[in-house]
Amino acid sequence: MTLFRPCFSFVAALALAVSVYAEAPSGLPGGKVELFLLAGQSNMAGRGTVNELAPEDAAADPHVWALNKEGAWQPAMDPVHWDKNGAGVGPGKFFGRAVAAKEPGVIVGLIPTACGGSPISTWQPGQYWDQTKSNPWDDSMTRAKRAMLDGTLKAILWHQGESDANARSAPKYEEALTELVARFRKELNAPNLPFIIAQLGKFESEGRTWNQYQIEVDRAQRAVAEKVPNVYFVSAEGLASKGDKLHFSTASQKALGQGMAEAYLRSQAEK
């Protein structure tokens, strides 16, 4: 399979990130900084209801930080993303807390880049996504490389696929996702970087039944996790929607983030 050749080299893109964010101070507390790129569409960005957070979940954690829209670090607070006006609770902060709890002394740095509604085809160099008025791939690279000035990239978290559950895109999804994983690793100069895929929402208890294309996207994601080294699949079995049978509830986002953290920690134990 021929992989897409990135438009910019890692060094050139890193230089660009330095120039764009040269005035942005780190702001991070002292300690080992581990970075995690949050990519995909709306369920990664988060649509959970913020006012449903328990007080302990709403509070900032001194060990979990997030890169804001301006490219500066701040304590991670929901909504971590800002892709659309409806951005809410996602899995990121819960993932970060779970990792930090198992790695004393580590500062977790979240890099929000998810774009609501974005099909996998927009996660390529030069592609523009009108719903979020952004370039999902290009923006993720700029932000990742800015963050890498302050820490070490440890994994990519991916939740996406609803927009590809159709007759045109689903049959090609496995190939597209395999290429995407390779392109992320090549562009970020991290050939063994863990890539964690969270399953699409099933919501069977709410009366939702997957169609053939959702089943095909799910099969493709499982296949990539089986075939590509250091790719992990996280089940969403039993998780609930916020009522729309599409977006995870606040409580389910917490469970999903913790599940993704378990997969990441397993990846480190298997080294």
Side-chain angles (χ1 to χ4, degrees), residues 210-231:
W210 272 356
N211 62 34
Q212 68 183 86
Y213 305 116
Q214 291 163 322
I215 293 171
E216 193 162 3
V217 168
D218 183 73
R219 182 207 60 77
Q221 292 180 338
R222 292 173 183 271
V224 172
E226 290 176 0
K227 296 175 184 178
V228 181
N230 293 327
V231 176

Side-chain angles (χ1 to χ4, degrees), residues 143-264:
R143 293 178 59 75
K145 290 164 186 175
R146 180 270 171 266
M148 289 166 69
L149 299 174
D150 297 320
T152 302
L153 186 63
K154 300 294 288 186
I156 295 173
L157 312 187
W158 178 255
H159 193 286
Q160 190 276 340
E162 293 93 344
S163 292
D164 290 286
N166 55 64
R168 180 178 57 85
S169 300
K172 302 180 289 186
Y173 192 85
E174 182 179 341
E175 180 181 6
L177 183 57
T178 301
E179 290 180 348
L180 181 70
V181 173
R183 190 167 2 105
F184 265 123
R185 288 171 169 173
K186 182 174 182 180
E187 185 68 13
L188 296 170
N189 198 29
N192 298 310
L193 188 69
F195 192 96
I196 300 168
I197 303 168
Q199 187 179 35
L200 303 184
K202 301 187 77 173
F203 313 130
E204 293 172 331
S205 65
E206 301 172 44
R208 181 190 184 191
T209 301
W210 272 356
N211 62 34
Q212 68 183 86
Y213 305 116
Q214 291 163 322
I215 293 171
E216 193 162 3
V217 168
D218 183 73
R219 182 207 60 77
Q221 292 180 338
R222 292 173 183 271
V224 172
E226 290 176 0
K227 296 175 184 178
V228 181
N230 293 327
V231 176
Y232 297 81
F233 181 84
V234 177
S235 172
E237 192 73 38
L239 300 187
S241 83
K242 60 185 290 185
D244 59 3
K245 301 181 184 179
L246 177 62
H247 298 108
F248 292 112
S249 68
T250 297
S252 290
Q253 285 284 20
K254 180 176 182 178
L256 192 67
Q258 292 172 336
M260 297 181 87
E262 290 174 7
Y264 167 71

Side-chain angles (χ1 to χ4, degrees), residues 47-71:
R47 299 293 186 260
T49 304
V50 174
N51 63 16
E52 292 181 359
L53 287 167
E56 62 271 21
D57 290 334
D61 186 312
H63 303 100
V64 185
W65 291 63
L67 200 67
N68 66 20
K69 190 174 183 179
E70 289 72 37

